Amino acid sequence: MLDGNPRLNLASFVTTWMEPECDKLIMSSINKNYVDMDEYPVTTELQNRCVNMIAHLFNAPLGETETAVGVGTVGSSEAIMLAGLAFKRKWQNKRKAEGKPFDKPNIVTGESLMWKTPTHGRLMELSAMDSPLRRRGMRLDLENHLKLGPQQFVETRDHIFLSCRFSLHLWAEVFSRLSPRQAPFITWAELLSWCRFRSPSATPTLKKLVAQVLIYHLWRQRNSALHNNTHLLQAETFRLIDRDVCWEKFARYFEVELKEVKLSEGYYVMDPEKAVEMVDENTICVAAILGSTLNGEFEDVKLLNDLLVIKNKETGWDTPIHVDAASGGFIAPFLYPELEWDFRLPLVKSINVSGHKYGLVYAGIGWVVWRNKEDLPEELIFHINYLGADQPTFTLNFSKGSSQVIAQYYQLIRLGHEGYRNVMENCRENMVVLREGLEKTGRFNIVSKDEGVPLVAFSLKDSSSHTEFEISDMLRRYGWIVPAYTMPPNAQHITVLRVVIREDFSRTLAERLVIDIEKVMRELDELPSRIIHKISLGEEKSEVNGDNLMVTVKKSDMEKQREVINGWKKFVSDRKKTNGIC
């Protein structure tokens, strides 16, 4: 009851509404174990049918009687790891047959997909020293005193990373997944002890990885708040942590180097030319994204394929492509059928897609399909027979519910190709309504593209008085959950708000959101923060010296503080004069 309204949660790509009939179907099958294929053979058949339909949707080169190769997963995270593992094993087998080294595989991908592992580990190591670290080349001065009003708070390692309200919330999210009974850490020693021991839900390696990523994001948020006056919501920060852990888990567990293509201002997707330049003989695949989480833009998979074909011919390599179509896989075939990004391109060997995003199913279902059987090494498929029959399986999970698989089949049959196209076209039309409404206000720049995932990413034209983070915070008073975030490091000075258009986001809601945003802007214009901000900018004053020349004199900290106080007093006094209520 105290959570936000899922329908007004415009931060999430995940489906928040299904038909009542499907809700009943999910509840009637929630007690079935998906992996027990001998007892629930119909569920297994429904999964195989879903894989076949999705493979045909992605133009897999299948014969009339040929069965598609793929599997249902818990989500895109598992699907990506399965695809990456298949690429690694196939590359290793080829290198072994050629008598070449096979111990340094790498993946080339865009920067928006993950963060560097060494950064997280190094920051964790420096934090453990609990000392001023600026002299070590990082702006990590843990003895800094933050002046907040009349009091002073000593900024310590344990406070930042363990006990402040922001960090406590993030640790609570981690504990709910890995250690449900874990109490909050009081000392750094307790954190290290927690990382060393296995729990029923997590290995020590996973705990260390999560701790490193969480500390990295806490420190990044601290610096953004202190130096840039920008703030991420706790939910948005945890989403970034969750994403980072997914890719770093693959890199660490399967010992694959991640090579990232840097993004730049105005170009927030992977540059195919730069990606191909980074490919070498140890590259197991290039991972492209169909639908950036930053602005919804599709990466140019066709150009990437053409450039790789040329490089493969020149070098004799056989570098393939994996397409992460988590968001765009159920959009492009219906809105942009002529766009070549799937198995029509010869180097695309596997594709993952989220059924719980634009596949229109509740959270907990993803899919990965391969071009043909040769692209999934046989040694990765396990055959289990202790449940009553031979059961081939290729997953990282074992027991899981059947309800999401059944719900996906229901949606595919219930809507069909025409139904999905109607839903996606409606999402795109509502996106246009929202975008045009924001443009009419004259206060925002639209960052998202026309072609891509139906979302609207926008930023303030003038952020000198207020920021996108303030707008995000104020919109919560009206029930809206609209995330604000900074772009990747090379464009980190740009902050955007993002609204994801899902099936249950109607034209009426789009018009209502624009009205509420206009209200928020008017309220922000009247807030005292604008006055204080203007005063705080005045660091200099002009005086006339004995020669009648204007000389600029630097104001002292005390003078600036008095001006802020006087400005605040004047604002409060003016408000009292205009307010007729005692």
Side-chain angles (χ1 to χ4, degrees), residues 376-560:
L376 178 59
E378 177 64 29
E379 63 265 31
L380 294 180
I381 302 175
F382 290 86
H383 296 269
I384 300 174
N385 58 18
Y386 77 85
L387 291 177
D390 180 66
Q391 302 171 30
T393 178
F394 178 43
T395 62
L396 298 179
N397 294 285
F398 192 63
S399 294
K400 63 180 179 181
S402 300
S403 55
Q404 308 311 94
V405 173
I406 296 172
Q408 182 72 83
Y409 183 72
Y410 172 90
Q411 291 289 59
L412 292 173
I413 296 298
R414 168 76 173 85
L415 296 174
H417 194 282
E418 183 178 355
Y420 268 92
R421 186 178 69 248
N422 291 338
V423 170
M424 302 310 157
E425 287 177 348
N426 187 59
C427 289
R428 181 172 59 181
E429 291 171 1
N430 291 331
M431 175 194 73
V432 173
V433 170
L434 178 60
R435 185 185 63 203
E436 291 178 349
L438 292 171
E439 288 175 336
K440 287 179 181 178
T441 66
R443 306 191 67 162
F444 299 101
N445 291 316
I446 305 300
V447 179
S448 52
K449 305 297 183 180
D450 293 337
E451 184 176 289
V453 178
L455 61 81
V456 181
F458 55 101
S459 62
L460 283 167
K461 289 183 178 180
D462 179 13
S463 57
S464 60
S465 298
H466 298 288
T467 68
E468 289 82 358
F469 294 97
E470 291 177 277
I471 297 174
S472 175
D473 185 56
M474 293 282 285
L475 282 172
R476 280 183 170 265
R477 302 181 184 182
Y478 295 90
W480 302 103
I481 302 175
V482 178
Y485 53 90
T486 56
M487 286 302 199
N490 287 357
Q492 199 168 0
H493 61 284
I494 298 176
T495 305
V496 301
L497 294 148
R498 188 194 66 204
V499 174
V500 179
I501 311 298
R502 299 190 303 272
E503 179 187 12
D504 56 344
F505 187 81
S506 64
R507 182 189 182 101
T508 302
L509 285 178
E511 294 171 346
R512 182 74 248 176
L513 177 59
V514 173
I515 293 173
D516 288 343
I517 289 176
E518 290 178 327
K519 288 181 181 178
V520 165
M521 296 306 299
R522 288 194 294 269
E523 291 176 9
L524 285 174
D525 288 340
E526 297 175 357
L527 283 179
S529 59
R530 184 183 184 189
I531 298 174
I532 293 175
H533 182 78
K534 287 182 177 180
I535 295 173
S536 63
L537 289 177
E539 295 185 356
E540 298 178 345
K541 60 181 180 180
S542 298
E543 295 180 355
V544 180
N545 65 4
D547 298 324
N548 293 323
L549 296 176
M550 294 297 293
V551 179
T552 300
V553 182
K554 201 77 171 179
K555 291 183 180 180
S556 67
D557 292 340
M558 183 61 68
E559 288 178 309
K560 288 187 288 185

Side-chain angles (χ1 to χ4, degrees), residues 308-369:
L308 264 181
V309 168
I310 296 173
K311 185 158 189 174
N312 286 343
K313 287 182 179 180
E314 293 175 348
T315 59
W317 302 335
D318 188 23
T319 307
I321 296 173
H322 171 79
V323 179
D324 177 6
S327 299
F330 279 107
I331 295 172
F334 304 109
L335 294 183
Y336 315 104
E338 303 304 321
L339 181 66
E340 294 185 29
W341 63 273
D342 51 20
F343 292 123
R344 286 171 288 183
L345 303 176
L347 293 184
V348 175
K349 302 299 183 181
S350 59
I351 301 172
N352 71 276
V353 64
S354 286
H356 59 226
K357 292 182 180 176
Y358 288 94
L360 308 181
V361 179
Y362 292 140
I365 184 67
W367 303 93
V368 56
V369 291

